[in-house]
């Protein structure tokens, strides 16, 4: 009796990698080579650089280190597209990434295809360590997908004609929500941090005990309408609401409103990936710094939540729900849906906390170059939680720790208030 071999089962890891890599390319679909080359500020990187750096990561840590005989697509790319890995040697200055006119965008796309094909070809022979690095590479690229969108937004905002990157019709504005409702949080000793076998970045663990005092969180984030009241009440003009460093930043940078807000007649408009539009009053305020979030909280007579308070509240919520990135397009925060309890904890805007980005008890950096991923940045930065409209769906979880310096605001950053009980 004849026997037939069963068809090979598709590799779920390679399927995840392909979806991730395809989305990155789709995000730069509307861009010209010139659009993809320019760097609008030192904190941002050119779109072309994001495409290249994520490819360098896979070529270096998977193909070079785990595929015998692999030859680099172009040896000069290791110098051009290393980000901050000191163990990998010298690298091009971050502030000068916008001066790399060559290689072209097409050349980088060809490199991406070359690396993707090499990984697919080598996959049946790769061991567990290499597959773990591919998984890390996927999550690393998802982080850069969000940065890619916010960096493109910042670049196009410098153009006085306010061009739309994605020209799509906007949805109908939502009704302005009623007053904030306060949701009591858990008290006593609770556990936070990542603690199971699923993927997480090293900075999310170890899981550990913390003590929570009586507190409550707002049921939703602060809206554009509420922020406009803060401005009208002199929020940016009165030093009594501001941290000293924050007030110095406001005065030095002449800050008067969230990033991308512009006065239009007797109201406000904001620039987004689909161009300049009047602000949506019910939508969460975004593109605010930690200094601004803290000042608003003080003005409102409240405070920012701590990281453990936020994480404890989010533990029972669907981290893959809410307004997050699914396909390339004009992402933007949307009004919180109706419902009980804390709403829209995941998606829309990253929520500033009052917690410093510091190591958890027992944290140890991983050996080798990949150990430089998070640990060495644990100084002078604040934690944000929950993801945003530009975060790829499935990327975040309650334990996820995003971090930025307190003056930075070109990401989709907002706030949820907290209070002591």
């Amino acid at each position: 009796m004849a026997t037939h071999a069963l068809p090979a089962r598709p590799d779920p890891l390679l399927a995840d990698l392909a979806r991730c890599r395809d989305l990155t390319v789709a995000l730069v679909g509307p861009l010209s080579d010139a659009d993809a080359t320019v760097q609008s500020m030192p904190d941002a990187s050119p779109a072309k650089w994001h495409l290249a750096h994520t490819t360098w990561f896979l070529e270096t840590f998977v193909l070079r280190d785990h595929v015998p005989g692999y030859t680099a697509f172009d040896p000069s790319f290791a110098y051009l597209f290393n980000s901050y890995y000191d163990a990998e040697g010298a690298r091009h200055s971050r502030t000068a990434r916008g001066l790399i006119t060559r290689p072209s965008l097409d050349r980088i796309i060809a490199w991406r295809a070359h690396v993707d094909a090499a990984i697919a070809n080598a996959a049946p022979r790769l061991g567990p360590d290499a597959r773990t690095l591919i998984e890390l590479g996927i999550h690393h690229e998802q982080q850069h997908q969000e940065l890619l969108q916010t960096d493109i937004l910042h670049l196009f905002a410098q153009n006085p004609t306010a061009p739309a990157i994605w020209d799509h019709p906007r949805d109908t504005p939502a009704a302005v929500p009623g007053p904030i409702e306060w949701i009591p949080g858990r008290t006593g000793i609770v556990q936070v941090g990542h603690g199971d076998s699923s993927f997480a970045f090293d900075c999310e663990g170890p899981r550990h005990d913390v003590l929570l005092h009586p507190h409550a969180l707002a049921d939703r984030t602060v809206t554009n309408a509420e922020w406009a009241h803060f401005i009208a009440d002199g929020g940016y003009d009165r030093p009594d609401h501001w941290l000293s460093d924050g007030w110095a930043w406001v005065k030095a940078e002449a800050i008067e409103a969230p990033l991308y807000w512009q006065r239009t007649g007797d109201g406000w408009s904001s620039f987004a990936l689909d161009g300049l539009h009047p602000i949506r009053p019910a939508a969460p305020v975004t593109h605010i710094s930690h200094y601004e979030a803290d000042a608003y909280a003080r003005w409102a007579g409240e405070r920012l939540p701590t990281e453990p308070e936020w994480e404890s509240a989010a533990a029972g919520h669907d981290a893959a729900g809410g307004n997050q990135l699914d396909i390339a397009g004009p992402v933007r925060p949307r009004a919180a849906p109706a419902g009980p309890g804390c709403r829209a904890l995941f998606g829309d805007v990253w929520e500033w906390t009052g917690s410093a980005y510091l190591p958890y008890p027992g944290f140890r950096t991983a050996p080798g170059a990949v150990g430089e991923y998070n640990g060495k940045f644990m100084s002078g930065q604040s934690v944000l939680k929950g993801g945003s409209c530009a975060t790829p769906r499935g990327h975040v979880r309650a334990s996820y720790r995003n971090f930025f310096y307190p003056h930075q605001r070109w990401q989709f950053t907002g706030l949820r208030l907290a209070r002591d009980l």
Side-chain angles (χ1 to χ4, degrees):
M1 183 175 178
T3 60
H4 300 279
L6 294 173
R9 293 181 178 180
D11 187 329
L13 182 65
L14 290 187
D16 288 346
L17 178 64
R19 282 191 292 269
C20 175
R21 302 280 283 171
D22 288 346
L23 177 57
T24 306
V25 174
L27 290 171
V28 302
L31 304 185
S32 67
D33 192 279
D35 293 332
T37 298
V38 179
Q39 181 178 19
S40 57
M41 66 168 174
D43 285 337
S45 296
K48 192 163 65 176
W49 188 91
H50 287 293
L51 292 168
H53 169 70
T54 51
T55 304
W56 168 86
F57 187 97
L58 292 168
E59 184 177 63
T60 299
F61 297 125
V62 177
L63 295 175
R64 184 198 67 183
D65 292 351
H66 292 274
V67 178
Y70 177 78
T71 301
F73 182 83
D74 186 323
S76 70
F77 289 0
Y79 176 83
L80 289 177
F81 301 120
N82 178 7
S83 56
Y84 50 72
Y85 295 89
D86 291 314
E88 289 298 318
R91 58 190 181 273
H92 187 66
S93 171
R94 175 173 182 167
T95 59
R97 289 173 183 169
L99 301 179
I100 305 174
T101 59
R102 302 291 178 90
S104 67
L105 179 59
D106 287 344
R107 174 79 166 160
I108 289 173
I109 296 293
W111 178 31
R112 289 178 64 87
H114 172 87
V115 167
D116 292 347
I119 290 177
N121 182 62
R125 304 182 301 279
L126 293 177
D129 289 347
R131 291 179 65 84
T132 296
L133 287 165
I134 292 175
E135 185 178 28
L136 176 60
I138 292 170
H139 289 268
H140 169 254
E141 184 145 345
Q142 288 176 327
Q143 290 181 317
H144 279 271
Q145 286 169 347
E146 180 153 8
L147 290 167
L148 178 60
Q149 295 168 88
T150 55
D151 291 359
I152 292 170
L153 173 59
H154 190 272
L155 171 64
F156 274 62
Q158 312 314 306
N159 189 320
T161 66
I165 299 106
W166 301 94
D167 188 14
H168 285 234
R170 289 204 155 197
D171 51 2
T172 302
V176 175
I180 283 173
E181 295 184 9
W182 294 96
I183 311 301
R186 296 170 61 193
T187 60
I189 295 175
V190 301
Q191 285 201 322
V192 296
H194 190 263
D196 60 39
S197 60
S198 61
F199 178 86
F201 291 110
D202 58 357
C203 65
E204 296 177 52
R207 192 163 177 82
H208 60 286
D209 293 338
V210 296
L211 175 63
L212 296 183
H213 297 283
H215 68 281
L217 267 60
D219 66 328
R220 57 170 174 79
T221 53
V222 171
T223 65
N224 285 323
E226 289 165 331
W227 200 272
H229 290 313
F230 171 65
I231 297 174
D233 194 45
Y236 285 91
D237 302 320
R238 295 167 50 187
D240 50 309
H241 302 313
W242 293 80
L243 295 168
S244 177
D245 287 348
W247 183 245
W249 170 77
V250 164
K251 304 311 290 183
E253 302 296 328
I255 306 297
E256 298 180 338
L259 186 63
Y260 307 131
W261 280 36
Q262 300 179 24
R263 289 193 183 274
T264 51
D266 58 355
W268 292 96
S269 293
S270 64
F271 182 74
L273 291 167
D274 57 352
L276 185 65
H277 297 274
I279 63 168
R280 291 292 176 85
V285 67
T286 190
H287 302 299
I288 58 169
S289 69
H290 183 270
Y291 292 141
E292 290 168 285
D294 182 82
Y296 181 94
R298 292 168 188 264
W299 171 80
E302 313 295 351
R303 61 173 175 84
L304 297 179
T306 67
E307 181 179 13
E309 289 170 348
W310 192 100
E311 186 171 329
S312 176
H317 291 247
D318 180 12
N323 177 23
Q324 300 182 50
L325 178 69
D326 293 304
I327 59 173
V331 299
R332 59 185 176 275
R334 295 173 183 165
C342 289
R343 296 174 282 153
L345 282 162
F346 293 97
D348 288 306
V349 292
W350 288 99
E351 299 181 19
W352 285 107
T353 73
S355 297
Y357 178 56
L358 294 171
Y360 287 156
F363 171 78
R364 297 289 184 272
T365 56
V370 294
E372 299 185 56
Y373 201 97
N374 289 305
K376 71 180 188 180
F377 299 109
M378 293 175 171
S379 175
Q381 306 200 59
S382 297
V383 173
L384 302 100
K385 304 290 277 188
S388 81
C389 55
T391 304
R393 191 175 304 280
H395 179 67
V396 294
R397 56 212 146 259
S399 63
Y400 195 103
R401 310 180 78 194
N402 201 359
F403 51 94
F404 283 100
Y405 291 102
H407 69 279
Q408 293 175 316
R409 59 182 192 155
W410 88 109
Q411 298 301 305
F412 286 97
T413 49
L415 80 154
R416 182 185 304 264
L417 296 173
R419 61 168 46 167
D420 298 315
L421 295 179

